[in-house]
Amino acid sequence: MSDEDMPATQQELPTVPAPTPGSLVMDVARGQVGEFRCVRGGLWSLRPIEGGQHWTVAPADTRPVTPRERLRAETTRRNARSRGALL
């Protein structure tokens, strides 16, 4: 049986290697940069840069951040810390 004839549940989905915890990742579905935390049930757990509620995303819906997005996220994090926000 070829892959094309296999039910979708049995086909191998492309895997995206998980980044190192603490790495910045762009969630393209939300258009938001998050800090990678861990893998849970095949989904990635991301945390907002300025702190707050974690969310999950399919690895296929992510991409590495650009240098500009990284700079913006790091600035956002520093500003939140300077305001005394809980991180």
Side-chain angles (χ1 to χ4, degrees):
M1 180 184 289
S2 73
D3 284 347
E4 294 171 3
D5 298 330
M6 240 186 243
T9 55
Q10 293 179 353
Q11 290 180 15
E12 289 235 1
L13 297 174
T15 57
V16 177
T20 305
S23 298
L24 298 179
V25 178
M26 172 59 83
D27 177 344
V28 295
R30 286 183 175 216
Q32 184 175 355
V33 174
E35 180 183 300
F36 177 79
R37 306 301 284 174
C38 63
V39 178
R40 288 193 176 144
L43 298 175
W44 289 1
S45 177
L46 302 181
R47 177 178 178 238
I49 297 303
E50 62 277 355
Q53 201 63 29
H54 294 224
W55 78 92
T56 57
V57 61
D61 290 335
T62 65
R63 64 168 173 76
V65 293
T66 64
R68 183 178 188 160
E69 291 165 341
R70 177 176 303 285
L71 178 61
R72 186 173 191 188
E74 289 171 355
T75 301
T76 298
R77 181 181 291 158
R78 286 187 183 112
N79 287 339
R81 283 188 181 152
S82 72
R83 288 191 309 267
L86 298 174
L87 298 175

